[in-house]
Amino acid sequence: MRITVSLIRAAERAPERLATVCGQRRRTWSEILERTRRAAGALRAHGLRRGERVAVLAMNSDRYVELLYAVAWCGGVLVPLNVRWANLENIAALTDCGACILCVDDTFSASADALREAVPSLKQVIHIGEASISADALSYEALLEESAPVDDAGGGEDDLYAVFYTGGTTGQTKGVMLSHGNAFAVTIGWLASLPLDLPPVHLHVGGMFHLSGAGYAWLTTMAEGTHVLLPKFEPLPVMRAIEAHRVTSSMMMPTMVNMLLTHPEFATHDLSSVRTCIYGGSPIPDRLLEAAIRDLPGWGFVHSYGMTETSGMTLMLPAEHCKPGNPLLRSCGRASPTAEVMIAGPDGNELPHDTVGEILMRGRMVMEGYWNDESASKQALRDGWMHSGDAAWRVKRGFFYIVDRIKDMIVSGGENVYSAEVENALSHHPGILECAVIGTPDERWGERVTAMVVAREGSVLDEDSLIAHCRSLIANYKCPRTVVFREDLPKTAAGKIDKTRLRAPYWSGLDRLVN
C-alpha cells in the first residue's frame, strides 16, 4: 500500500471534515487532496522525475503536511531536513541525497541561496512560507494556482517514499530509506494499538523532519482526523492550541510535559480535552508522571519505543499501565501487531527471559537500508533483524524493558551502570527539574558516573546531598561520583537530552570516545 492511499480515503470518507488548522488557515480533506494533486502537478511540471529527491527545510505547517503526500503523489522521494542543523550539515545531507528541489519557509529562506550555490544537484527552490521571496525562488501558492491537478503516480509498496536523516546523536548522520510499505505498516500498527478518540484532533509539536512529527501525520490522516499544527514546541502556544481546538492527542517528549507542568500559566488553561499523550525518547521519570497524572487527570500517557530505522513505533505501553506504582511502568511495552521483537546476545541468538541483551526487530516497518551506505546497512540489518543498539530485557508476558543505549552504558570499575536507572533515582529529588547521567574519563575506574543537573527555581542543591539521595534508592556503585550543576541541558531537535554534546568536552582528545 502507498502512503497516498490514506489521503485519498480521508477525502472520500470525510470530504468536509476539518483536516488542517495552521494559524488562521482552515482546510477540509477535500481541499487538502486537491491541493496535493496540484502541488504534485507543479513538481512534475518543473521537471521532477520518478525517484528524484525533494528536500524540505521548514517548521511545521499545513503546507508541510501537504508535501508529505504531494512529493510521493508525483513519484518523488521526500527528504525532510533537520531544522536545528547548521548550513554545513544541511549541505552534506542535500549533497548526499542529490536533491534537485528544495522547499523552504520564512525561517530558512535566507539560507536557500547559499544551499543552492553549494549543492550542484539543486535546480529549484520553492518557498512555502508567507513572506516575500527572492527572484530565484518559486511561490508554493502561486504554483498551486497555475498548475493542473495530476493523478497519483502509482507504483508499489516497495517504492522509496522518503529519506530521513538521523540526528547524529550516536555517530555519523545517515539517511534512513523508508518505503511506502514501511510508512503504511507502522501506521497500521498504531491504529491497531492506540486507543485514540476517533477521529483524533492531533496537535503536532514534534518536527516533521522527525518521526515524532511525520509519523503522527500519517496516523492522523489514516484516522481521518484533524492536524493542528504549531511551528515548534513552546509551552504557552501549546496550551492555547489545546484549549482553542479541543485537541485530543499529541506526542510530547517527557521534557516537554515537564515544561508544561512547570509553566507559570499552566493552571490558567483548560487542557482537559486531551485523552492520549504519547511520549518516547526515554521512560518518563516517576516523579514527573506522578505530577502529570495529578495535574492532568484526564490524560492517558502512552509510552512508544522505536527508531527512525523502524519507521517509528515498534513497542507500546498502553495508558492503563502508565500509573505510579504499577510494576510495568518502567516497561516500554509489547510489540506492535506489525513488529516482531527479541532480545539477543552478541552472537545474535535469542536470550532467556529476564536477561539483558540487545533489542532486535523485524517486520514490514523496518527500513530498506541507509542511503549510499551499504556497509552501515549490512551492519544494522543482519540475519533479517534490525539491530537497535539498545540494551533491554523481556519478561514472560512479552513486556520489554529498555535499560539504556548500549553505547550509553557506563562501565565503572568493571560494573555496568545504566544511565537511565541513575536518572530515575535523581528525578525523585523534589529540587531537580532535569538531569542527565553520562560517563566521564576516570584513571582509576575507567569511567566516572557523572550527573548533569538543572535545579528547580528556588531550590538550593549540593553535590553531597544528591549523592546521598541516590544512595537511598540504588546501589552505591551506580551513584554519581560527580554532580555538575547547569542552567539548562542541550536538546536534540526531537526534544531529547543530547548526551553527545554533554560528553564531548570530557572525551575530546582521548583515544576512547563514547558516542
Side-chain angles (χ1 to χ4, degrees):
M1 300 294 288
R2 291 174 58 81
I3 198 64
T4 49
V5 170
S6 57
L7 172 59
I8 295 170
R9 288 179 175 170
E12 287 178 345
R13 299 180 185 186
E16 300 309 313
R17 182 176 296 154
L18 189 61
T20 59
V21 176
C22 185
Q24 299 302 310
R25 293 194 295 270
R26 308 287 189 275
R27 294 196 172 103
T28 66
W29 279 116
S30 61
E31 291 173 322
I32 294 297
L33 177 61
E34 177 67 10
R35 286 173 59 84
T36 297
R37 296 179 68 214
R38 288 182 177 276
L43 291 171
R44 193 175 291 173
H46 281 81
L48 186 71
R49 295 173 294 183
R50 182 182 290 274
E52 289 188 323
R53 277 71 64 201
V54 177
V56 184
L57 180 58
M59 309 304 286
N60 291 348
S61 71
D62 49 354
R63 293 167 184 147
Y64 207 139
V65 171
E66 292 167 4
L67 286 169
L68 291 180
Y69 298 93
V71 175
W73 193 277
C74 67
V77 176
L78 183 75
V79 183
L81 295 177
N82 192 323
V83 298
R84 295 181 70 176
W85 277 353
N87 260 11
L88 286 177
E89 293 170 295
N90 284 316
I91 288 168
L94 288 165
T95 302
D96 181 57
C97 72
C100 59
I101 294 176
L102 173 65
C103 301
V104 296
D105 65 359
D106 297 343
T107 304
F108 298 99
S109 59
S111 304
D113 288 343
L115 293 174
R116 188 174 182 180
E117 183 176 344
V119 181
S121 63
L122 277 180
K123 304 171 185 174
Q124 189 61 65
V125 173
I126 297 175
H127 185 260
I128 63 172
E130 312 297 329
S132 58
I133 61 175
S134 69
D136 293 331
L138 300 172
S139 163
Y140 180 80
E141 290 299 326
L143 287 174
L144 263 62
E145 288 182 9
E146 66 189 33
S147 300
V150 296
D151 292 335
D152 189 351
E157 64 179 34
D158 292 330
D159 287 354
L160 186 59
Y161 164 61
V163 177
F164 284 84
Y165 279 87
T166 59
T169 59
T170 58
Q172 181 62 40
T173 297
K174 297 183 288 292
V176 176
M177 297 189 293
L178 299 183
S179 68
H180 282 262
N182 293 153
F184 205 91
V186 78
T187 310
I188 291 294
W190 265 122
L191 283 177
S193 305
L194 197 62
L196 282 174
D197 287 349
L198 296 176
V201 179
H202 188 86
L203 176 63
H204 293 283
V205 294
M208 290 294 167
F209 65 88
H210 189 271
L211 292 181
S212 64
Y216 300 100
W218 304 333
L219 172 61
T220 303
T221 298
M222 192 175 286
E224 301 161 18
T226 300
H227 302 266
V228 179
L229 296 126
L230 293 178
K232 60 182 180 179
F233 178 86
E234 293 177 297
L236 192 55
V238 164
M239 292 188 286
R240 289 172 175 167
I242 291 172
E243 190 171 34
H245 306 298
R246 307 307 295 163
V247 167
T248 63
S249 67
S250 189
M251 195 285 173
M252 298 185 193
M253 299 295 176
T255 53
M256 298 176 182
V257 176
N258 195 25
M259 290 170 69
L260 288 183
L261 295 177
T262 57
H263 193 276
E265 295 189 32
F266 171 76
T268 67
H269 294 275
D270 178 7
L271 310 181
S272 62
S273 60
V274 176
R275 291 290 174 264
T276 301
C277 180
I278 307 145
Y279 68 92
S282 62
I284 192 166
D286 294 347
R287 187 176 182 86
L288 174 57
L289 181 63
E290 290 169 4
I293 289 175
R294 180 191 68 232
D295 297 338
L296 298 166
W299 289 34
F301 290 91
V302 175
H303 187 185
S304 165
Y305 168 83
M307 310 172 65
T308 306
E309 288 87 341
T310 61
S311 312
M313 188 269 291
T314 53
L315 298 169
M316 193 198 78
L317 185 70
E320 61 262 29
H321 297 307
C322 291
K323 306 290 183 185
N326 190 317
L328 293 172
L329 174 60
R330 307 311 302 168
S331 167
C332 56
R334 288 168 160 159
S336 155
T338 58
E340 186 178 355
V341 185
M342 77 166 177
I343 303 298
D347 58 2
N349 293 324
E350 188 167 13
L351 293 174
H353 295 314
D354 306 316
T355 305
V356 174
E358 184 179 9
I359 190 164
L360 273 53
M361 298 161 281
R362 67 182 178 189
R364 189 64 189 89
M365 76 294 167
V366 173
M367 67 170 182
E368 302 299 309
Y370 295 114
W371 180 270
N372 281 341
D373 198 335
E374 185 176 351
S375 175
S377 299
K378 288 181 177 179
Q379 179 65 22
L381 301 169
R382 303 195 305 272
D383 302 320
W385 293 89
M386 174 66 209
H387 290 246
S388 69
D390 285 333
W393 53 284
R394 176 188 181 185
V395 298
K396 288 183 179 180
R397 293 173 59 197
F399 288 92
F400 289 80
Y401 291 77
I402 307 295
V403 294
D404 218 341
R405 288 288 302 173
I406 288 174
K407 292 183 178 180
D408 278 353
M409 184 179 71
I410 302 164
V411 183
S412 184
E415 296 280 3
N416 293 342
V417 179
Y418 296 107
S419 61
E421 184 178 6
V422 188
E423 288 161 358
N424 188 53
L426 284 165
S427 72
H428 280 80
H429 194 289
I432 291 179
L433 179 65
E434 282 188 318
C435 64
V437 173
I438 62 172
T440 58
D442 189 286
E443 290 186 5
R444 180 178 180 185
W445 302 109
E447 288 185 88
R448 172 181 290 263
V449 181
T450 301
M452 306 287 181
V453 169
V454 178
R456 290 186 183 277
E457 186 175 356
S459 296
V460 179
L461 303 177
D462 65 88
E463 182 177 66
D464 290 343
S465 65
L466 288 183
I467 293 173
H469 163 79
C470 290
R471 284 176 178 160
S472 71
L473 297 173
I474 56 177
N476 182 57
Y477 75 87
K478 300 177 182 178
C479 294
R481 296 294 183 267
T482 301
V483 178
V484 178
F485 296 98
R486 297 174 56 104
E487 293 185 1
D488 56 35
L489 295 176
K491 307 293 192 306
T492 69
K496 295 188 287 186
I497 293 172
D498 190 342
K499 291 188 178 180
T500 298
R501 288 173 61 189
L502 289 174
R503 292 189 191 100
Y506 295 93
W507 293 93
S508 178
L510 298 181
D511 291 336
R512 181 183 177 196
L513 178 63
V514 178
N515 289 320

